[in-house]
Structure formats: C-alpha cells, structure tokens
Amino acid sequence: MKPGVLSPSAKDLYDQDFFEWTVRNAELLRARRFDEADVDRIAEELEDMGKREKNELASRLRVLLTHLLKWQIQTERRSGSWKATLRTQRREIGKLLAGMPSLRRSLRGDLPEVYEDAASDAVGETGLPRKSFAPACPFDLEQILDTEYYPD
C-alpha cells in the first residue's frame, strides 16, 4: 500500500483478493472485531465448505458404487485395478466419516440418487443396458463400506 492510501475493507477484499480476504477476516474474528468482519460472506463460505465435503463424499460413493456394480456384473473383467479403486474409495470415505461423523446421515439419504448416477456411469463404462443393473441399490451401506466385501 502506498502511504496515505487506505487499504480496502475486509468486505471489499472478497472480490479483489480472496486469499487476503480470508487472512484479514480471520484476524478480525480472532480480535473479536466482528463489526469490521465480513460476517455474512464468512457464513456463506462456511456453508460452502460443508457442501464441498458432502459433495466429495457423494462423488467417492458414486465411484465406489460404479466399481461394485462392474465387479458384480463383469466377473470376467475383474482386476487388481478395480480392487484398488474399491479400497481407495472406501479408505477415503472412511477418513471423511471419521473427521465428520455427521456426514454418515447424508450417506443414507443420498444413496438412492448416488446409486442412479453410479448405475448410469456403469452403463457408460460397460456398454451394458441399464436393465442389466438393479433398479435400486443392491448393497446396503454396511456392505458398501466394508473393506472385505466384494459382491459375487
């Protein structure tokens, strides 16, 4: 900043320099200077953080379900690569749930929609018709997350 030039307020920084906005607002919150902090946008960003975590969980669940479906239906194509994908997704889902246990509730609620996406992905990856896959998720949540479970 040049001498005599006012620095932008914490609220104005949001569109100008997001990183600086985060630093400045964190300082203001720690100093309990709430009237100067961009409280509404901070609340929005916190909500968005939660949504990103929930979306990551759904994305990992979709990949996991897609591979479980392929494993189940294409027995002749099973590979170490598919098994590694199943292990990786289960491990990463486990980490997300360990750090944010309340996300487990969203897993159950999101499962039907995520399954539809996974079945669609499986159709695209296998070339098989949609009717080759169960109309609803054939696995319960415990099976899906069980590191030893492989459908036969």
Side-chain angles (χ1 to χ4, degrees), residues 37-81:
D38 194 357
V39 175
D40 290 337
R41 282 202 182 121
I42 292 168
E44 287 176 29
E45 288 297 327
L46 286 172
E47 288 172 343
D48 287 347
M49 286 170 54
K51 288 176 190 173
R52 280 191 297 273
E53 297 296 335
K54 190 174 185 271
N55 288 340
E56 180 182 351
L57 180 63
S59 176
R60 289 188 177 283
L61 181 61
R62 180 184 48 77
V63 172
L64 176 56
L65 286 171
T66 300
H67 278 74
L68 284 171
L69 289 171
K70 292 186 330 183
W71 185 275
Q72 182 180 49
I73 205 156
Q74 290 188 311
T75 56
E76 74 287 351
R77 300 193 81 182
R78 290 177 181 171
S79 67
S81 171

Side-chain angles (χ1 to χ4, degrees), residues 3-4 23 33 35 46 56 61-62 70 91 100-101 107 110 123-126 128 132 137 146-147:
V23 170
R33 293 167 44 196
D35 55 324
L46 286 172
E56 180 182 351
L61 181 61
R62 180 184 48 77
K70 292 186 330 183
R91 182 179 56 244
M100 295 167 274
L107 270 182
D110 293 346
V123 166
E125 291 181 27
T126 64
L128 296 170
S132 301
C137 187
D146 181 352
T147 58

Side-chain angles (χ1 to χ4, degrees), residues 78-139:
R78 290 177 181 171
S79 67
S81 171
W82 284 3
K83 212 170 201 178
T85 297
L86 291 168
R87 268 194 317 272
T88 297
Q89 295 307 320
R90 285 171 166 156
R91 182 179 56 244
E92 294 304 317
I93 288 170
K95 288 178 185 178
L96 282 168
L97 295 176
M100 295 167 274
S102 62
L103 280 177
R104 188 174 286 274
R105 287 189 305 268
S106 72
L107 270 182
R108 289 197 195 286
D110 293 346
L111 186 57
E113 182 181 343
V114 173
Y115 175 75
E116 279 307 311
D117 292 342
S120 177
D121 288 352
V123 166
E125 291 181 27
T126 64
L128 296 170
R130 175 63 177 91
K131 67 182 178 184
S132 301
F133 302 95
C137 187
F139 319 111

